[in-house]
Amino acid sequence: MIEIKIATEADTDVLALLGRITYAESHGHFIDNTADLAAYCDRAFSISKTRTDLENPEHLFFLMYLNDFPVGYAKVILNVAHNSVTSQKTCR
């Protein structure tokens, strides 16, 4: 069964790990030096950075589970301006 839930502070570890795994799988082949990839993941998906992102009210995280196993996530940032959109209430 597929389940989607809003992430909370209790999900920090799972979210940080999913961030590292999914980034490396989807973008890692563009980075020649594996040390650079690891360094980026250390910064972008650390427990402390993930916790800070979760505490930000402008950031919404959703965790996806398949048969109670975490398989993915989505991050929505509210009220972000974009050159192609004139609305002030946007997200990415």
Side-chain angles (χ1 to χ4, degrees):
M1 179 172 77
I2 296 172
E3 179 185 4
I4 299 173
K5 72 171 203 163
I6 296 175
T8 67
E9 186 177 346
D11 301 308
T12 302
D13 293 351
V14 171
L15 196 55
L17 182 58
L18 278 172
R20 287 174 178 267
I21 291 169
T22 58
Y23 185 85
E25 288 179 352
S26 62
H27 295 83
H29 61 282
F30 294 113
I31 302 170
D32 293 329
N33 186 333
T34 56
D36 290 343
L37 176 61
Y40 175 78
C41 287
D42 286 348
R43 285 189 314 275
F45 305 107
S46 69
I47 298 293
S48 61
K49 170 79 166 69
T50 302
R51 184 176 294 113
T52 298
D53 285 347
L54 276 166
E55 291 171 350
N56 185 334
E58 297 286 310
H59 296 181
L60 301 177
F61 288 89
F62 299 89
L63 286 168
M64 280 63 81
Y65 291 84
L66 178 61
N67 298 327
D68 298 322
F69 187 79
V71 295
Y73 77 100
K75 177 180 180 180
V76 178
I77 303 174
L78 303 173
N79 302 314
V80 176
H82 189 279
N83 297 340
S84 301
V85 180
T86 57
S87 173
Q88 296 300 310
K89 295 187 177 191
T90 60
C91 60
R92 65 175 170 130

